[in-house]
């Protein structure tokens, strides 16, 4: 259910999001990435700025722990 997930952070590029996603995965924190329709300003092969942002969601019950792991307070 959507209500079981909470927004952890919004990023301007997929590369930044991927780095935090890897950190979460190494600590066994389930996470999912949601992005706008464009993956970057130059298309799917480019990991630069995303026009509509990239967001990582984690289970609501793990939100505080996930924030600590990525240094987001």
């Amino acid at each position: 259910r959507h209500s079981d997930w909470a927004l952890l952070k919004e990023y301007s590029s997929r590369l930044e999001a991927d780095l935090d996603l890897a950190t979460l995965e190494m600590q066994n924190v389930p996470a999912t990435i949601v992005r706008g329709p464009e993956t970057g300003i130059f298309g799917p092969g480019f990991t630069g700025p995303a026009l509509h942002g990239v967001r990582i969601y984690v289970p609501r019950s793990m939100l505080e722990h996930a924030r600590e792991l990525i240094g987001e307070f």
Side-chain angles (χ1 to χ4, degrees):
R1 294 182 331 201
H2 294 294
S3 63
D4 293 340
W5 292 80
L7 175 64
L8 174 63
K9 187 175 177 182
E10 186 165 351
Y11 303 81
S12 59
S13 78
R14 176 65 192 247
L15 178 60
E16 291 176 275
D18 282 341
L19 292 173
D20 280 352
L21 185 65
T23 298
L24 295 169
E25 289 175 348
M26 286 189 304
Q27 298 297 321
N28 297 314
V29 175
T32 188
I33 286 187
V34 176
R35 62 177 170 76
E38 296 86 7
T39 55
I41 60 173
F42 298 110
F46 180 71
T47 58
L51 296 177
H52 296 285
V54 178
R55 294 170 297 282
I56 291 183
Y57 288 84
V58 296
R60 190 169 302 281
S61 63
M62 300 184 90
L63 181 59
E64 293 306 316
H65 179 58
R67 285 180 176 157
E68 291 173 8
L69 291 174
I70 66 165
E72 189 70 21
F73 299 101

